[in-house]
Amino acid sequence: MFADLHQIKRDTAEVLKPPRRLTVPQAAEQYVVLDIPGGYSGKWRNDLPYYMIQPAECLTRRDVDSVIFVGAAQTGKTQALVDNWMAHTVTCDPSDMMIVQTAQDTARDYSKRRIDRLLHSSPALKERLKSGSQHDNVFDKQFRSGMILSLGHPSKNQLAGKAIGKMALTDYDRMPEDIDGEGNAFDLARKRTTTFMSRGMTLAESSPSKPIVDPMWKPKTLHEAPPTRGILGLYNNGSRHRFYAPCPHCGEYFMPPAGIEAMSIPQIDSGDVTELSQQAALICAVCGALITQAHERIFKKSGIWLADGQTIKNGVLSHVPHNRIQSFWLQGWFAAFQSWESIVRNYLNAYRHWQRTGDEEPLKGTVNTDQAAPYLYKAQQIEEVDTDALLARREVFERKTVPEGVRFLLACVDVQKNRFVVQVIGFGMGLESWLIDRYNLKHAKRKDNDGKELDVSPDSYIEDWLLLTDEILKRSYPLADGSGREMSILVMAVDSGGAKSFSTGRSVTQNAYDYWRILKQQGLHRKVALVKGRPTGDRCQISYPDSSQRKDRHAGSKGDVPVYLLNVNSLKDTVAANLDRTERGHGYMHLPEWVGGWFIGELTAETRTAKGWENPTAKRNEAFDLYAYALGICTTLGADRILWDNPPDYAKPWDDNPYVSELETAQPHTENRKTLADIMRKLNS
């Protein structure tokens, strides 16, 4: 209902207005006003992120149907492309538009933090918003022109419904690769615009996060991106614009690589991170001169876009065939809102973290978001593991004995159909490790009717799990110094995932939970961690699964049993990196001579792909899995962050370590010993 005649005239006039002949950047400077709490307030200006002008101009071209933009996190890409395009649509060319975020909760946050603030701080946008709360909710905004702005997320219902002429996908690489079995989000969004023909437009913007699919890839053209499944894959289908700038020394335009190889960093493996990041300089690809940070601001302001195959000579650009998909890839070195020093500092901190722990995720994060470069995992860079070299590097140290340097012991258990596979690993400073023991628990205490000993059946009989207490948890190992002292197990990690038994109706998971409950009654549960692998997420996260209300679940989980969820891909990356180390120190793995080629085969059974670690030939891989479990528990303990000048009690030298006792008095479960829960409680506080 209209309030008065004036409102009728105003809204009718808005509907009948012809499109204004302004580009997105022009409309942004005229209509967009920003009010960012704690940040910038005022009218939008194109001069700082000037590199966004050309990509944004493509959004109103009738000979273009898609715009793809790849850039670092601090380039202003979301504001310049998504928010400003929305503002242009509202003020200059009203038509229905959808902005697709990565998930429903991020769409809600985007609506409140960005869209609502922009609409209410920009008078030209605010006055066009239809009055009434029913027209201004979280996921839909209605305007007096009749335009509807929708805030959505990647789902079949959101992306495969009615036609919408303008579709914007933001942070594309954080969206699922397949939407409910219908295909990727970009293709689904693009189909929604096809009925609008030359007025339809689909935008996708993101920093790259999908790993490189083929580590052996070589570019066929200068601007081709490595093969990935995300935003760079879309970029490769388009015009492939890259950003060039003139060298202040030779005057020639050149394209810096997106990765850290664009920078000259003295002594990357040592030295103070702050000093090194301040000394870093960009390398001219033409003359090889170093462009110091004193020239950074001028260099950033002098760049131009060149399509694949396009050249510039005497300020004149050569002609290239037109492409209806205009794609752009901006290297992080041109980001208006982040300095070279900051990018290099973030990289060096992540690089040092990887050196210490073997954890590549922070390194991948800064390469993706700061440099706008795709990431190739270290394990993918190794063409083939040299098993002969691993066999040759085995050392002579006694089995079931704790060598000098070990500070604590972890026992890791893999659950198989007819056995428990046990691996005891000793860790020292910098998580240098020694294999202490490896054996199978196969024989149950149960016997058949003829008195013959039976094999264990972890998926069927809870009594078989009780073997773990006496055979592993209460076990101690003598020190190599001949003192007669022994070191007890700090934590036992046990795989809790497994199928249901058809004969008994129970499962590995149900038995694992019940075993933990038995240990709790005995006061031993704090030294046991039930683990479960997953392909993504934090390296180690504690959960309390509860399926008590689900009739289709047989795990027996009631929310009372802690389960340690391990990101096995990340942890196995670290194991692979440690295997590749050739000198003692952080992460080095000491392999004993008493293991044969079978053990090396288990360590190298899997291959790193873009999806994660895979074992296509189903080789035995228990050794690899169990090392990953051990590193997951180390993460939970905070052992990867220990200050070794003042370590926690469990990691102290033998003379001061409460887990080291005289043989005749060794009591691995006395009350004065710190448990896993005690350590976690102290870390969390």
Side-chain angles (χ1 to χ4, degrees):
M1 296 294 291
F2 293 103
D4 51 38
L5 183 61
H6 173 71
Q7 185 177 342
I8 295 175
K9 289 181 177 179
R10 185 182 63 178
D11 288 3
T12 304
E14 189 65 31
V15 173
L16 297 176
K17 281 182 180 178
R20 293 170 177 83
R21 301 300 182 186
L22 296 177
T23 65
V24 170
Q26 289 170 340
E29 287 199 324
Q30 186 168 335
Y31 299 118
V32 171
V33 179
L34 301 178
D35 186 11
I36 304 172
Y40 175 76
S41 296
K43 297 193 70 173
W44 170 263
R45 294 166 50 195
N46 290 316
D47 61 338
L48 192 57
Y50 74 101
Y51 44 73
M52 299 304 308
I53 294 176
Q54 185 173 336
E57 286 176 340
C58 293
L59 293 168
T60 53
R61 286 174 52 178
R62 300 290 288 270
D63 61 344
V64 174
D65 60 37
S66 305
V67 174
I68 311 298
F69 189 89
V70 187
Q74 299 299 320
T75 54
K77 60 185 184 301
T78 305
Q79 177 66 52
L81 294 175
V82 182
D83 298 359
N84 288 356
W85 188 24
M86 182 275 295
H88 174 275
T89 302
V90 171
T91 57
C92 300
D93 187 20
S95 59
D96 287 351
M97 179 177 184
M98 175 179 278
I99 299 175
V100 183
Q101 263 286 347
T102 55
Q104 187 171 15
D105 58 339
T106 53
R108 179 183 293 108
D109 184 76
Y110 184 86
S111 175
K112 291 180 175 295
R113 292 182 188 274
R114 298 186 68 107
I115 298 300
D116 284 353
R117 286 173 178 170
L118 180 59
L119 291 175
H120 290 88
S121 64
S122 305
L125 303 181
K126 186 176 182 180
E127 70 178 16
R128 287 169 168 80
L129 191 64
K130 206 167 187 177
S131 59
S133 58
Q134 71 273 24
H135 301 130
D136 183 10
N137 57 59
V138 173
F139 297 111
D140 292 290
K141 315 287 183 184
Q142 297 186 41
F143 297 85
R144 290 190 286 109
S145 63
M147 168 189 170
I148 298 176
L149 171 67
S150 302
L151 287 304
H153 59 279
S155 71
K156 180 180 178 180
N157 292 336
Q158 293 273 319
L159 294 175
K162 63 183 179 181
I164 294 179
K166 298 178 181 180
M167 297 289 296
L169 292 84
T170 180
D171 210 9
Y172 181 78
D173 263 20
R174 281 80 190 170
M175 295 181 182
E177 293 181 14
D178 184 66
I179 310 299
D180 302 327
E182 296 291 323
N184 66 65
F186 178 79
D187 288 342
L188 290 175
R190 198 177 184 187
K191 288 176 183 176
R192 300 192 71 168
T193 69
T194 53
T195 57
F196 293 83
M197 297 192 299
S198 66
R199 296 197 71 238
M201 178 62 67
T202 307
L203 164 71
E205 62 86 6
S206 182
S207 56
S209 74
K210 304 298 183 184
I212 297 171
V213 174
D214 180 10
M216 305 304 292
W217 165 85
K218 301 294 182 185
K220 297 181 178 66
T221 68
L222 189 59
H223 291 187
E224 184 184 16
T228 73
R229 293 183 174 86
I231 193 74
L232 284 174
L234 300 181
Y235 160 88
N236 271 339
N237 293 330
S239 57
R240 300 181 186 174
H241 281 80
R242 296 292 297 273
F243 213 60
Y244 287 68
C247 170
H249 302 287
C250 68
E252 295 291 334
Y253 280 85
F254 74 99
M255 178 188 69
I260 198 67
E261 65 272 17
M263 279 283 166
S264 171
I265 306 173
Q267 299 176 327
I268 190 171
D269 293 306
S270 61
D272 181 74
V273 167
T274 300
E275 291 182 3
L276 291 177
S277 60
Q278 291 172 346
Q279 296 167 8
L282 195 71
I283 305 169
C284 173
V286 178
C287 68
L290 298 183
I291 304 171
T292 66
Q293 294 177 34
H295 295 93
E296 177 181 353
R297 187 172 179 274
I298 296 174
F299 180 78
K300 285 183 173 182
K301 294 288 289 183
S302 59
I304 59 170
W305 289 105
L306 295 181
D308 204 358
Q310 194 172 30
T311 59
I312 181 171
K313 189 173 183 180
N314 298 324
V316 179
L317 297 178
S318 65
H319 175 75
V320 291
H322 176 66
N323 194 315
R324 293 192 65 84
I325 302 175
Q326 291 291 292
S327 59
F328 303 83
W329 182 7
L330 183 76
Q331 308 90 305
W333 313 115
F334 291 101
F337 306 106
Q338 188 171 21
S339 66
W340 293 350
E341 178 186 346
S342 172
I343 295 174
V344 174
R345 182 173 63 250
N346 290 346
Y347 177 83
L348 289 176
N349 283 328
Y351 180 79
R352 299 283 176 84
H353 174 80
W354 168 73
Q355 283 186 313
R356 292 192 306 271
T357 68
D359 179 12
E360 294 185 58
E361 292 309 308
L363 192 58
K364 178 181 182 295
T366 185
V367 169
N368 290 161
T369 59
D370 292 331
Q371 301 169 27
Y375 188 77
L376 185 65
Y377 283 98
K378 305 295 182 184
Q380 288 181 277
Q381 299 175 27
I382 304 172
E383 294 186 13
E384 187 176 344
V385 177
D386 190 343
T387 55
D388 290 337
L390 291 177
L391 283 168
R393 92 173 199 199
R394 290 177 301 166
E395 308 169 33
V396 178
F397 55 89
E398 193 173 350
R399 185 177 184 178
K400 301 181 182 179
T401 300
V402 182
E404 293 281 352
V406 172
R407 298 291 185 88
F408 61 91
L409 298 178
L410 300 181
C412 300
V413 183
D414 189 43
V415 181
Q416 299 290 327
K417 184 174 180 61
N418 62 349
R419 65 188 182 279
F420 295 102
V421 182
V422 185
Q423 205 156 279
V424 180
I425 305 168
F427 288 92
M429 295 173 61
L431 297 190
E432 189 173 356
S433 68
W434 290 258
L435 182 65
I436 307 300
D437 203 1
R438 166 65 186 266
Y439 57 96
N440 294 330
L441 285 179
K442 291 191 65 175
H443 302 298
K445 292 184 178 180
R446 297 174 292 106
K447 296 182 180 180
D448 62 15
N449 294 333
D450 297 327
K452 183 180 178 182
E453 198 172 52
L454 297 171
D455 286 344
V456 298
S457 183
D459 63 348
S460 300
Y461 298 98
I462 182 62
E463 53 264 43
D464 290 349
W465 285 73
L466 302 181
L467 289 170
L468 304 182
T469 304
D470 292 330
E471 298 292 336
I472 306 172
L473 194 59
K474 293 183 178 180
R475 195 166 185 172
S476 297
Y477 289 86
L479 305 184
D481 63 356
S483 63
R485 296 177 295 176
E486 293 196 344
M487 179 178 285
S488 58
I489 301 294
L490 175 64
V491 177
M492 178 176 71
V494 186
D495 182 14
S496 65
K500 177 183 175 182
S501 169
F502 291 104
S503 59
T504 64
R506 294 181 65 84
S507 68
V508 168
T509 302
Q510 186 176 355
N511 283 336
Y513 292 169
D514 286 346
Y515 173 60
W516 187 91
R517 294 183 181 112
I518 292 171
L519 292 176
K520 186 175 182 180
Q521 294 174 356
Q522 300 172 349
L524 303 178
H525 61 294
R526 292 187 176 89
K527 290 177 65 70
V528 175
L530 300 183
V531 300
K532 184 176 181 180
R534 59 177 180 173
T536 59
D538 296 336
R539 281 165 73 85
C540 187
Q541 178 182 349
I542 302 178
S543 69
Y544 291 84
D546 186 351
S547 62
S548 56
Q549 304 303 316
R550 296 284 300 276
K551 294 182 179 180
D552 61 332
R553 293 290 184 264
H554 302 276
S557 53
K558 305 171 185 177
D560 62 321
V561 178
V563 176
Y564 294 74
L565 303 178
L566 305 182
N567 181 335
V568 290
N569 282 327
S570 176
L571 293 167
K572 287 180 177 180
D573 286 338
T574 303
V575 177
N578 290 345
L579 274 175
D580 199 41
R581 297 177 188 269
T582 58
E583 297 181 1
R584 286 197 56 174
H586 283 291
Y588 183 82
M589 293 170 61
H590 294 267
L591 303 176
E593 202 170 44
W594 50 264
V595 296
W598 62 270
F599 187 82
I600 303 301
E602 288 184 6
L603 279 176
T604 58
E606 298 188 20
T607 302
R608 188 46 154 112
T609 71
K611 293 182 179 180
W613 285 93
E614 297 181 348
N615 187 5
T617 57
K619 296 178 181 178
R620 294 281 298 273
N621 65 344
E622 290 94 327
F624 197 36
D625 282 345
L626 293 172
Y627 266 107
Y629 294 169
L631 290 181
I633 298 303
C634 285
T635 301
T636 303
L637 292 168
D640 55 343
R641 303 182 297 277
I642 288 177
L643 300 176
W644 290 98
D645 292 337
N646 184 27
D649 288 349
Y650 72 85
K652 286 185 175 179
W654 293 349
D655 291 344
D656 301 314
N657 193 313
Y659 287 83
V660 173
S661 303
E662 297 295 335
L663 178 60
E664 62 274 12
T665 60
Q667 299 291 332
H669 307 296
T670 54
E671 292 184 1
N672 67 331
R673 300 200 173 186
K674 292 190 180 298
T675 64
L676 179 62
D678 296 327
I679 296 167
M680 284 296 298
R681 193 177 300 113
K682 184 175 180 180
L683 287 171
N684 292 333
S685 65

